[in-house]
Amino acid sequence: MAFIDLAGFSAIADVYGDAAAIDVLEIFESMVREALAGYEPPIKWIGDEAMLSFPEPELAIQALGTLLQACREEPRLPLTRSALNHGPVIRRAGDLFGSTVNIAARMAALASPGQLLATQPIAAAAAAKGILVRDLGEVALRSVADEIPLYEIELAPSPDPAWIDPVCKMHAPYASYRRAPEGPWFCSPRCEEAYRKSPQTYPLAR
């Protein structure tokens, strides 16, 4: 099971308007469809989040590797947040349910902009392919009783936190705009204005 969404989508709608957010979403949807050509299509869309299903970890890693690389190279998209989990699911009326799905969704919500979180079976498959895997230890997930061992998989280059716009989650070097050498980077004066008005709403990436 895979979940992938746009980290800054809600802020884009708030700061730039719904029309701008829909334009970004349509770009993202098109890229998901293109990257998944030849694989299973998205099971469903939940706002700006795609829920995907693959029969085995290797195919999921291959497909998301293509998608996440493409997203990082697209200057019109903010950073993505992604999660991969492997296990049994329940199929019902064209949808998927069960603990495997729930854990993957919680992992995606926990991921930082530009980060892909995965469980052990996915991490093992990635490591076997020579992909960089970082052990994050056992992590508590919302509404999940036991802590889950999580891993970060680098299918696309890790973003530099100093160059992530705290509002819309765009990443440098696109249209660099920075007022002060030590301050956060902003993609535009509008994002800077939104941040100055409510910095607690937009925590800086670490």
Side-chain angles (χ1 to χ4, degrees), residues 171-185:
H171 188 255
Y174 306 130
S176 182
Y177 174 81
R178 200 169 193 170
R179 286 285 190 175
E182 300 304 321
W185 173 84

Side-chain angles (χ1 to χ4, degrees), residues 48-90:
D48 67 309
E49 184 174 56
M51 185 179 88
L52 318 174
S53 175
F54 300 92
E56 58 188 35
E58 290 78 10
L59 285 177
I61 291 168
Q62 184 176 336
L64 259 67
T66 300
L67 175 58
L68 296 182
Q69 286 279 0
C71 288
R72 283 297 302 277
E73 294 169 3
E74 173 51 70
R76 295 170 293 179
L77 290 186
L79 291 167
T80 57
R81 301 181 304 169
S82 312
L84 275 171
N85 188 21
H86 179 65
V89 296
I90 299 170

Side-chain angles (χ1 to χ4, degrees), residues 1 12 38 41 60-61 66 90 104 106 108 110 114 135 144 171 183 187-188 193 199-201:
M1 288 303 307
I12 290 172
I61 291 168
T66 300
I90 299 170
R106 299 289 184 260
L110 184 67
D135 187 344
V144 178
H171 188 255
C187 75
S188 71
E193 180 183 3
Q200 70 276 8
T201 303

Side-chain angles (χ1 to χ4, degrees), residues 71-167:
C71 288
R72 283 297 302 277
E73 294 169 3
E74 173 51 70
R76 295 170 293 179
L77 290 186
L79 291 167
T80 57
R81 301 181 304 169
S82 312
L84 275 171
N85 188 21
H86 179 65
V89 296
I90 299 170
R91 292 185 178 272
R92 181 177 182 272
D95 208 344
L96 298 180
F97 300 88
S99 176
T100 300
V101 179
N102 295 339
I103 289 173
R106 299 289 184 260
M107 290 164 56
L110 184 67
S112 300
Q115 188 177 46
L116 167 61
L117 297 180
T119 49
Q120 195 280 329
I122 306 293
K129 291 177 173 288
I131 297 169
L132 181 61
V133 175
R134 299 183 183 90
D135 187 344
L136 303 179
E138 294 192 347
V139 179
L141 300 176
R142 183 171 61 87
S143 301
V144 178
D146 298 323
E147 293 187 342
I148 305 292
L150 291 187
Y151 302 81
E152 180 180 5
I153 299 178
E154 191 169 299
L155 294 183
S158 295
D160 182 346
W163 292 97
I164 299 175
D165 186 314
V167 178

